[in-house]
Amino acid sequence: MRRFFEKLIEGGFLISGSITSLAILLIILFLFKEAGGLFDAPVVEDGYVIAVNKDNPVKHLSAEKIMDIFDAEITNWNDVSEKETGINQDILVFRFSDLTNYYTEEELGSEFQYVPEKISELVAKEPGIIAFIPTQYVAKDFKGRVLADDKIAFGDFFAGTKWYPTSTPAPIFGLVPLLLGTLLVSFGAILLSLPFGIAVAIYLAEIADKRTRDFLKPVIELLAGIPSVVFGFFGLVVIVPLIQKGLNLPVGETAFAGSVVLAIMALPTIITVAEDSMRTTPSAMKEASLALGATKWQTIYKVIIPYSISGITSAIVLGIGRAIGETMAVLMVTGNAAVIPTSFFEPVRTIPATIAAELGEAPAGGAHYEALFLLGAVLFVITLLLSFTVEYISAKRKM
């Protein structure tokens, strides 16, 4: 009977582990499946087309060019492309809502039945026009030319330097500013938290007396349970004003503020894991080192840290993971500006903050929705690579 129950418990553990592993695998597959749909999405907003006069030689326009044209940053067709010979003609931007500026309601028809004909007529009449019109209003005998319906390319996303997901008529999904913001804030947090975290772990494990350790350890572990939004409020009310006044900056919501808040949040994890690992060092090893004439500090550096390097590595990985994946606190103190940062003292936006801020507003299944899933996939790959790198370095040091 006892053997039967042991087998039953083993089977339960096996099933539980298998279900957990399968669930994780399915989540990852779902993430990448949703993310991959972005590259099947058209550059122009779904359900619309961009049309020009039939004599206009321009055949393709990138999302950034379209945005610049509709924002009046580019006003002449000669400035559209260096490779394509345009026409020396001022650009006339036409949106569907502008139709009543050209035609009366009677000309458009009581049920808008003449709208396709009038749009076709207008595009044929204006040589410099660029029209953003719904697909359903493109006449069968359209007298203009609809630009090629290009798809969002890998380079547009992974090398893009702008993030304007709601731009009309062509949304822009550029990873670079979000990726740089994430790396800047995360590595800043690790550079601040790692030396302090390891130092406090050494103090608690080898230097502090029992009374001090028994007091500090629960306090530090309690900090790990504080919700991230509380750290965000603390950063917004205390740290951000201090940075703004102390460094004489225009705004305090910067990458540096995000790094400081994340460093505070990562400290309890790093300290707890590293300290627990150091305390597992056998007493015989420490006593042997001291007996050979090593000082206490030499024993810590030459014996305890190398022996507990695996636990310290785990602390580093967990700290980096906490920093890279944090959402609310970073969203509150970094300024939330999707621009390429040039220093620690500028507003930035991170990948997790972007997902949290925009996912609720992105139409399910649309290009914006799929772009946010792709950001999640990028974040997953970054965390995976960091974990492998730290584990590799740790394994190399053990050899």
Side-chain angles (χ1 to χ4, degrees):
M1 182 62 71
R2 180 179 178 182
R3 183 67 177 168
F4 171 76
F5 279 114
E6 289 178 352
K7 289 290 184 182
L8 188 64
I9 293 172
E10 289 177 6
F13 287 151
L14 177 62
I15 293 172
S16 177
S18 301
I19 292 174
T20 303
S21 301
L22 181 62
I24 294 172
L25 181 61
L26 289 175
I27 291 171
I28 294 173
L29 290 175
F30 173 75
L31 174 66
F32 281 91
K33 175 181 174 296
E34 292 293 321
L38 177 66
F39 303 113
D40 291 326
V43 170
V44 179
E45 187 177 334
D46 194 25
Y48 290 82
V49 296
I50 296 290
V52 296
N53 186 277
K54 64 180 180 179
D55 295 328
N56 193 326
V58 175
K59 297 179 180 179
H60 299 273
L61 286 174
S62 66
E64 291 192 14
K65 290 289 186 184
I66 294 173
M67 185 185 73
D68 288 342
I69 289 172
F70 278 78
D71 288 346
E73 298 291 333
I74 297 177
T75 57
N76 192 288
W77 283 107
N78 268 337
D79 301 327
V80 169
S81 175
E82 296 178 359
K83 296 181 180 179
E84 295 184 80
T85 303
I87 55 175
N88 187 18
Q89 178 72 46
D90 290 338
I91 297 174
L92 173 63
V93 174
F94 172 79
R95 296 177 175 84
F96 184 71
S97 58
D98 298 331
L99 192 59
T100 54
N101 296 335
Y102 297 89
Y103 300 100
T104 64
E105 293 183 4
E106 289 78 11
E107 290 176 312
L108 298 176
S110 59
E111 297 181 358
F112 301 101
Q113 65 269 30
Y114 302 127
V115 167
E117 176 187 337
K118 294 302 180 183
I119 291 177
S120 178
E121 176 186 300
L122 180 63
V123 173
K125 184 173 62 175
E126 297 287 350
I129 195 170
I130 180 169
F132 174 54
I133 52 179
T135 307
Q136 68 188 80
Y137 291 118
V138 178
K140 292 181 180 179
D141 58 344
F142 186 63
K143 297 176 183 178
R145 180 162 52 81
V146 175
L147 296 185
D149 190 17
D150 297 329
K151 304 294 184 182
I152 295 174
F154 281 84
D156 294 338
F157 179 81
F158 289 103
T161 57
K162 296 179 181 178
W163 180 265
Y164 296 106
T166 58
S167 175
T168 302
I172 299 176
F173 307 104
L175 173 65
V176 173
L178 306 181
L179 180 62
L180 292 179
T182 301
L183 296 179
L184 190 66
V185 172
S186 300
F187 284 114
I190 293 304
L191 289 175
L192 291 173
S193 64
L194 197 57
F196 289 106
I198 299 301
V200 174
I202 292 172
Y203 173 76
L204 291 177
E206 299 298 326
I207 299 173
D209 55 50
K210 186 176 183 304
R211 183 177 179 182
T212 304
R213 185 186 304 116
D214 291 343
F215 171 76
L216 290 179
K217 188 73 182 292
V219 172
I220 292 172
E221 291 176 348
L222 183 63
L223 290 175
I226 296 177
S228 61
V229 69
V230 176
F231 283 104
F233 274 121
F234 173 77
L236 192 61
V237 174
V238 178
I239 295 176
V240 167
L242 283 176
I243 291 175
Q244 182 178 4
K245 293 177 182 178
L247 300 178
N248 195 26
L249 299 174
V251 292
E253 291 89 350
T254 59
F256 183 65
S259 295
V260 172
V261 172
L262 284 184
I264 296 172
M265 295 178 65
L267 274 174
T269 302
I270 295 174
I271 294 170
T272 300
V273 177
E275 192 264 346
D276 289 341
S277 177
M278 291 177 186
R279 286 179 63 82
T280 60
T281 306
S283 300
M285 294 182 64
K286 293 186 282 187
E287 291 170 359
S289 175
L290 294 171
L292 290 172
T295 64
K296 189 170 187 177
W297 288 108
Q298 288 174 328
T299 301
I300 291 172
Y301 176 68
K302 295 290 187 179
V303 177
I304 296 174
I305 291 180
Y307 181 85
S308 57
I309 191 65
S310 177
I312 295 174
T313 301
S314 299
I316 295 172
V317 171
L318 291 172
I320 293 175
R322 180 73 185 269
I324 290 180
E326 182 51 48
T327 303
M328 282 308 302
V330 177
L331 184 64
M332 296 171 70
V333 301
T334 55
N336 206 27
V339 295
I340 295 179
T342 57
S343 75
F344 264 109
F345 306 106
E346 294 179 358
V348 296
R349 177 188 274 193
T350 64
I351 291 176
T354 302
I355 296 172
E358 298 180 5
L359 188 58
E361 301 176 358
H368 188 188
Y369 177 86
E370 292 165 342
L372 294 177
F373 270 90
L374 188 54
L375 289 180
V378 170
L379 195 64
F380 169 78
V381 171
I382 292 173
T383 306
L384 195 65
L385 290 175
L386 285 172
S387 298
F388 284 151
T389 301
V390 174
E391 289 294 340
Y392 173 77
I393 295 173
S394 174
K396 195 172 182 181
R397 288 195 62 178
K398 288 181 179 179
M399 295 175 61

